[in-house]
Amino acid sequence: EAGRLLAGRAALMRPDPFVGAGSLPEPLAVAAQARAERTRVSGSPDPQAWAEAAAAWALAGHPYPEAYAAWREAEAVFALGGSSDAAVVSLRRARSLARQLGAEPLLEEIRLLARWQRVDLDRAEPAAPTPDVAAHLGLTPREVEVLALVAAGRTNAQIAEAMFISAKTASVHVSNILRKLGVARREEAARIGHHAGLAPQQAGDA
Protein backbone atom coordinates (compact mmCIF):
# COMPACT_ATOMS: atom_id res chain seq x y z
CA GLU A 1 0.00 0.00 0.00
CA ALA A 2 2.73 2.47 1.00
CA GLY A 3 4.71 1.54 -2.09
CA ARG A 4 1.74 2.17 -4.37
CA LEU A 5 1.05 5.60 -2.88
CA LEU A 6 4.68 6.66 -2.98
CA ALA A 7 5.33 5.33 -6.47
CA GLY A 8 4.43 8.65 -8.06
CA ARG A 9 6.43 10.69 -5.60
CA ALA A 10 9.23 11.66 -7.99
CA ALA A 11 6.79 13.08 -10.54
CA LEU A 12 4.75 14.93 -7.92
CA MET A 13 7.60 16.49 -5.93
CA ARG A 14 7.80 20.24 -6.22
CA PRO A 15 11.11 21.30 -4.70
CA ASP A 16 11.50 24.73 -3.19
CA PRO A 17 13.71 26.79 -5.54
CA PHE A 18 15.81 27.74 -2.55
CA VAL A 19 16.41 24.10 -1.58
CA GLY A 20 18.82 22.25 -3.84
CA ALA A 21 18.24 18.62 -4.77
CA GLY A 22 21.31 17.49 -2.86
CA SER A 23 20.89 19.77 0.14
CA LEU A 24 20.52 18.69 3.73
CA PRO A 25 16.71 18.94 4.26
CA GLU A 26 15.83 16.12 1.86
CA PRO A 27 18.11 13.46 3.43
CA LEU A 28 16.76 14.44 6.84
CA ALA A 29 13.21 14.06 5.53
CA VAL A 30 13.98 10.62 4.09
CA ALA A 31 15.45 9.56 7.44
CA ALA A 32 12.43 10.90 9.34
CA GLN A 33 10.10 9.05 6.94
CA ALA A 34 12.04 5.81 7.46
CA ARG A 35 11.74 6.14 11.24
CA ALA A 36 8.01 6.74 10.97
CA GLU A 37 7.49 3.83 8.57
CA ARG A 38 9.30 1.52 11.00
CA THR A 39 6.82 2.40 13.75
CA ARG A 40 3.93 1.63 11.40
CA VAL A 41 5.16 -1.72 10.09
CA SER A 42 6.12 -2.79 13.62
CA GLY A 43 2.53 -2.33 14.75
CA SER A 44 3.40 0.58 17.07
CA PRO A 45 2.37 3.67 15.09
CA ASP A 46 3.92 6.88 16.41
CA PRO A 47 2.04 10.11 15.52
CA GLN A 48 4.97 12.24 16.59
CA ALA A 49 7.31 10.40 14.23
CA TRP A 50 4.90 11.04 11.37
CA ALA A 51 4.49 14.69 12.39
CA GLU A 52 8.26 15.09 12.29
CA ALA A 53 8.38 13.43 8.86
CA ALA A 54 5.66 15.78 7.55
CA ALA A 55 7.51 18.80 8.92
CA ALA A 56 10.77 17.61 7.38
CA TRP A 57 9.17 17.15 3.95
CA ALA A 58 7.59 20.62 4.23
CA LEU A 59 11.03 22.07 4.96
CA ALA A 60 12.48 20.20 1.97
CA GLY A 61 9.70 21.57 -0.26
CA HIS A 62 8.12 18.26 -1.28
CA PRO A 63 4.31 18.40 -0.82
CA TYR A 64 3.44 14.83 -1.87
CA PRO A 65 5.41 12.99 0.82
CA GLU A 66 4.34 15.74 3.24
CA ALA A 67 0.70 14.92 2.48
CA TYR A 68 1.41 11.19 2.82
CA ALA A 69 3.08 11.71 6.20
CA ALA A 70 0.24 13.94 7.43
CA TRP A 71 -2.27 11.23 6.45
CA ARG A 72 -0.23 8.60 8.29
CA GLU A 73 0.00 10.93 11.29
CA ALA A 74 -3.79 11.15 11.48
CA GLU A 75 -4.06 7.39 11.04
CA ALA A 76 -1.64 6.86 13.93
CA VAL A 77 -3.52 9.28 16.18
CA PHE A 78 -6.77 7.42 15.56
CA ALA A 79 -5.07 4.03 16.06
CA LEU A 80 -3.87 5.10 19.50
CA GLY A 81 -7.19 6.64 20.47
CA GLY A 82 -5.66 10.11 20.64
CA SER A 83 -7.22 13.54 20.19
CA SER A 84 -9.54 13.55 17.21
CA ASP A 85 -8.94 17.30 16.90
CA ALA A 86 -5.25 16.70 16.23
CA ALA A 87 -6.08 13.97 13.71
CA VAL A 88 -8.55 16.20 11.86
CA VAL A 89 -5.94 18.97 11.57
CA SER A 90 -3.45 16.52 10.01
CA LEU A 91 -6.04 14.87 7.78
CA ARG A 92 -7.30 18.23 6.56
CA ARG A 93 -3.75 19.29 5.73
CA ALA A 94 -3.10 16.01 3.89
CA ARG A 95 -6.27 16.42 1.83
CA SER A 96 -5.45 20.02 0.94
CA LEU A 97 -1.99 19.09 -0.33
CA ALA A 98 -3.24 16.00 -2.18
CA ARG A 99 -5.94 18.05 -3.89
CA GLN A 100 -3.42 20.67 -5.03
CA LEU A 101 -1.30 17.89 -6.53
CA GLY A 102 -4.20 15.98 -8.05
CA ALA A 103 -2.98 12.87 -6.21
CA GLU A 104 -6.19 10.85 -6.51
CA PRO A 105 -4.99 7.53 -4.97
CA LEU A 106 -3.82 9.36 -1.85
CA LEU A 107 -6.99 11.46 -1.77
CA GLU A 108 -9.06 8.28 -1.79
CA GLU A 109 -7.10 6.87 1.16
CA ILE A 110 -7.66 10.13 3.06
CA ARG A 111 -11.40 10.01 2.32
CA LEU A 112 -11.60 6.36 3.42
CA LEU A 113 -9.91 7.15 6.73
CA ALA A 114 -12.24 10.11 7.29
CA ARG A 115 -15.31 7.96 6.58
CA TRP A 116 -14.06 5.12 8.75
CA GLN A 117 -13.50 7.50 11.67
CA ARG A 118 -16.74 9.41 10.94
CA VAL A 119 -14.86 12.67 10.45
CA ASP A 120 -16.59 15.42 8.46
CA LEU A 121 -13.62 17.15 6.84
CA ASP A 122 -15.83 19.56 4.91
CA ARG A 123 -17.43 20.87 8.08
CA ALA A 124 -14.05 21.27 9.79
CA GLU A 125 -12.26 22.77 6.80
CA PRO A 126 -13.44 26.38 7.02
CA ALA A 127 -11.55 26.71 10.31
CA ALA A 128 -8.26 25.61 8.76
CA PRO A 129 -5.47 28.15 8.41
CA THR A 130 -5.30 29.27 4.79
CA PRO A 131 -2.11 29.38 2.72
CA ASP A 132 -2.64 33.16 2.39
CA VAL A 133 -2.48 33.61 6.16
CA ALA A 134 0.62 31.45 6.38
CA ALA A 135 2.32 33.37 3.56
CA HIS A 136 1.33 36.73 5.04
CA LEU A 137 2.84 35.86 8.41
CA GLY A 138 5.87 34.08 6.96
CA LEU A 139 4.96 30.88 8.79
CA THR A 140 4.39 27.30 7.74
CA PRO A 141 0.80 25.97 7.88
CA ARG A 142 1.79 23.92 10.94
CA GLU A 143 3.12 27.03 12.67
CA VAL A 144 -0.13 28.86 11.90
CA GLU A 145 -1.98 26.04 13.66
CA VAL A 146 0.28 26.46 16.68
CA LEU A 147 -0.14 30.25 16.59
CA ALA A 148 -3.93 29.82 16.68
CA LEU A 149 -3.54 27.85 19.90
CA VAL A 150 -1.16 30.47 21.30
CA ALA A 151 -3.81 33.07 20.47
CA ALA A 152 -6.29 30.95 22.42
CA GLY A 153 -4.04 31.22 25.47
CA ARG A 154 -2.88 27.60 25.45
CA THR A 155 0.34 26.62 27.20
CA ASN A 156 3.02 24.58 25.44
CA ALA A 157 1.80 21.49 27.27
CA GLN A 158 -1.77 22.12 26.11
CA ILE A 159 -0.59 22.76 22.56
CA ALA A 160 1.31 19.47 22.65
CA GLU A 161 -1.78 17.60 23.83
CA ALA A 162 -4.08 19.21 21.25
CA MET A 163 -1.70 18.51 18.35
CA PHE A 164 -0.48 15.13 19.61
CA ILE A 165 3.16 16.21 19.68
CA SER A 166 5.70 16.38 22.49
CA ALA A 167 5.94 19.44 24.74
CA LYS A 168 9.49 19.91 23.45
CA THR A 169 8.28 20.00 19.84
CA ALA A 170 5.55 22.47 20.80
CA SER A 171 8.16 24.67 22.49
CA VAL A 172 10.32 24.59 19.34
CA HIS A 173 7.32 25.59 17.20
CA VAL A 174 6.51 28.50 19.53
CA SER A 175 10.14 29.67 19.58
CA ASN A 176 10.26 29.57 15.76
CA ILE A 177 7.02 31.54 15.57
CA LEU A 178 8.31 34.26 17.91
CA ARG A 179 11.53 34.50 15.91
CA LYS A 180 9.76 34.69 12.54
CA LEU A 181 7.25 37.27 13.79
CA GLY A 182 10.03 39.34 15.36
CA VAL A 183 8.49 39.40 18.84
CA ALA A 184 9.82 38.43 22.23
CA ARG A 185 6.69 37.27 24.04
CA ARG A 186 3.89 34.88 23.18
CA GLU A 187 1.32 37.55 24.11
CA GLU A 188 2.63 39.67 21.26
CA ALA A 189 2.44 36.69 18.91
CA ALA A 190 -1.14 36.07 20.06
CA ARG A 191 -2.11 39.64 19.16
CA ILE A 192 -0.60 39.21 15.70
CA GLY A 193 -2.56 35.98 15.31
CA HIS A 194 -5.81 37.71 16.24
CA HIS A 195 -5.11 40.55 13.81
CA ALA A 196 -4.51 37.97 11.07
CA GLY A 197 -8.00 36.56 11.69
CA LEU A 198 -7.01 33.39 13.52
CA ALA A 199 -9.90 32.41 15.77
CA PRO A 200 -8.90 30.44 18.89
CA GLN A 201 -10.91 27.39 17.79
CA GLN A 202 -9.07 27.00 14.48
CA ALA A 203 -6.29 24.70 15.58
CA GLY A 204 -7.76 22.92 18.55
CA ASP A 205 -11.52 23.29 18.90
CA ALA A 206 -12.81 22.63 15.38
Side-chain angles (χ1 to χ4, degrees):
E1 178 189 13
R4 178 177 66 85
L5 290 168
L6 288 173
R9 174 183 139 192
L12 290 168
M13 277 181 170
R14 293 180 182 172
D16 189 311
F18 296 103
V19 179
S23 60
L24 188 59
E26 186 170 324
L28 290 177
V30 171
Q33 175 101 12
R35 287 193 296 270
E37 287 286 6
R38 281 197 297 269
T39 71
R40 183 178 68 85
V41 299
S42 69
S44 303
D46 184 346
Q48 186 179 338
W50 283 111
E52 290 170 356
W57 283 119
L59 180 63
H62 294 313
Y64 183 83
E66 180 190 353
Y68 172 84
W71 164 55
R72 289 297 191 191
E73 179 188 354
E75 182 183 60
V77 171
F78 285 129
L80 295 177
S83 165
S84 60
D85 290 344
V88 168
V89 167
S90 298
L91 207 55
R92 187 191 305 140
R93 181 160 57 112
R95 185 177 72 164
S96 176
L97 288 168
R99 275 179 168 175
Q100 291 171 31
L101 294 167
E104 286 299 328
L106 180 55
L107 267 174
E108 183 56 29
E109 294 293 344
I110 292 166
R111 294 184 189 115
L112 285 172
L113 179 59
R115 285 198 294 269
W116 181 258
Q117 297 295 335
R118 298 182 180 178
V119 170
D120 186 349
L121 290 176
D122 290 320
R123 186 174 62 84
E125 197 163 33
T130 67
D132 288 344
V133 171
H136 173 71
L137 295 176
L139 304 176
T140 67
R142 189 71 160 176
E143 287 168 345
V144 174
E145 293 163 12
V146 174
L147 179 57
L149 287 172
V150 171
R154 306 284 181 89
T155 65
N156 287 353
Q158 290 169 332
I159 291 171
E161 182 178 1
M163 299 186 71
F164 215 86
I165 58 178
S166 70
K168 181 178 179 181
T169 299
S171 176
V172 169
H173 279 312
V174 172
S175 295
N176 287 340
I177 289 168
L178 297 181
R179 175 178 55 79
K180 289 182 178 182
L181 295 179
V183 298
R185 298 186 305 157
R186 61 196 299 136
E187 291 82 5
E188 296 173 279
R191 282 196 293 272
I192 292 173
H194 284 300
H195 290 159
L198 295 179
Q201 72 269 21
Q202 281 184 314
D205 302 324

